[in-house]
Amino acid sequence: METVKISLNSIDKVKSFVNDVTRFDSDFDLVSGRYVIDAKSIMGIFSLDLSKPIDLNIHDTDKMAEIMKTLKSYIVD
C-alpha cells in the first residue's frame, strides 16, 4: 500500500479524480481524520472536508507507476 496527499479543492477536480481512479481495478481509499471512504465514490468524497489535503491510500503496487502518472495533477507535497 502506498499513501500520498492529494488536493481536491473544486467540484471539477473531484469529478475528474473519480473518473481517473475508476479506470483502475485497484482499491483506493481517502482518509480524512477518522473517516475512510472509497475514492471511487463521488458522494463519499463530498462528505469530506475538501479545504485541506487528504490522504489517498493506493492498494495496488503492481501498477503504481501508471497510477502515479495519472494522479500527478492531484498530488501535493
Side-chain angles (χ1 to χ4, degrees):
M1 183 176 82
E2 181 82 23
T3 301
V4 295
K5 284 214 176 287
I6 61 166
S7 176
L8 299 173
N9 53 9
S10 73
I11 293 171
D12 290 333
K13 222 171 178 181
V14 170
K15 288 194 293 190
S16 63
F17 172 78
V18 171
N19 286 335
D20 287 343
V21 296
T22 304
R23 289 192 277 154
F24 296 100
D25 289 334
S26 313
D27 289 330
F28 299 88
D29 294 325
L30 287 172
V31 181
S32 179
R34 64 180 183 187
Y35 300 104
V36 178
I37 59 114
D38 182 355
K40 295 179 181 180
S41 167
I42 196 163
M43 293 302 291
I45 293 173
F46 282 122
S47 72
L48 299 175
D49 178 8
L50 301 177
S51 65
K52 56 188 178 224
I54 302 169
D55 288 335
L56 172 67
N57 293 337
I58 305 164
H59 296 279
D60 185 355
T61 54
D62 296 339
K63 299 177 185 160
M64 190 57 69
E66 184 182 351
I67 291 170
M68 294 303 265
K69 183 178 176 186
T70 302
L71 302 180
K72 183 175 65 173
S73 63
Y74 310 103
I75 297 173
V76 295
D77 295 327

